[in-house]
Amino acid sequence: MKQEALIQFLSIAEKLKCNTRHSWTSDGRQESVAEHSWRLSLMAMLCRDEYPELDINKVIKMCLIHDFGEAVTGDVPSFYKTETHEKEEEKAIKDLLSSLPDDIRAELSDLFDEINALGTPEAKLFKALDN
């Protein structure tokens, strides 16, 4: 069962490669959500020496997962995002995570809670990089 759940999850998450953002690459092509998450993760990894007191692996995980909901909802630029959009994305994340095994679901849910609370240095660094 675990393998099937992970494959199902990955097939949905793969849509992040297909969904484009409001941003453009340096060669003039519209950026995908997955490309954004990858670059954000790379940025976090590269600044690890600047923040030795932080758990950079946690920050990288936040960077990798933060837009999971957009695999379902698509990207809505932050300057257009309404409370309704936020709720739809939250539901999409919960639905997506619900298919995962308990241990993985718990870890990722905790990371989303931490991101949303912005109460830890790791979440604050993630948010600064994302902005």
Side-chain angles (χ1 to χ4, degrees):
M1 174 61 180
K2 186 174 184 176
Q3 292 83 1
E4 290 176 12
L6 294 175
I7 290 169
Q8 179 185 7
F9 172 82
L10 287 171
S11 71
I12 296 169
E14 189 268 341
K15 300 298 181 203
L16 294 171
K17 296 190 310 183
C18 305
N19 292 344
T20 56
R21 292 173 35 88
H22 64 285
S23 303
W24 302 86
T25 64
S26 60
D27 66 355
R29 182 179 49 78
Q30 204 164 1
E31 177 183 52
S32 74
V33 177
E35 290 169 313
H36 161 71
S37 296
W38 169 81
R39 186 169 190 230
L40 192 58
S41 301
L42 184 59
M43 288 168 47
M45 184 189 76
L46 293 174
C47 72
R48 71 181 178 264
D49 292 340
E50 299 297 317
Y51 301 95
E53 71 282 7
L54 300 188
D55 181 349
I56 290 297
N57 286 332
K58 181 186 275 191
V59 178
I60 292 169
K61 287 178 184 181
M62 290 175 174
C63 294
L64 287 170
I65 71 165
H66 78 286
D67 279 335
F68 273 178
E70 293 182 13
V72 176
T73 66
D75 177 60
V76 177
S78 59
F79 43 87
Y80 291 131
K81 208 170 254 187
T82 65
E83 189 175 325
T84 300
H85 291 122
E86 294 284 348
K87 288 181 181 183
E88 288 172 357
E89 194 170 322
E90 260 183 52
K91 182 181 179 333
I93 291 167
K94 285 183 183 181
D95 290 347
L96 186 57
L97 296 183
S98 72
S99 68
L100 293 172
D102 292 343
D103 57 336
I104 298 172
R105 180 178 55 245
E107 177 188 6
L108 298 183
S109 293
D110 289 347
L111 284 171
F112 275 109
D113 290 344
E114 190 171 335
I115 288 169
N116 291 331
L118 284 176
T120 63
E122 287 83 2
K124 290 176 184 176
L125 177 58
F126 153 74
K127 192 63 169 178
L129 292 171
D130 192 32
N131 287 334

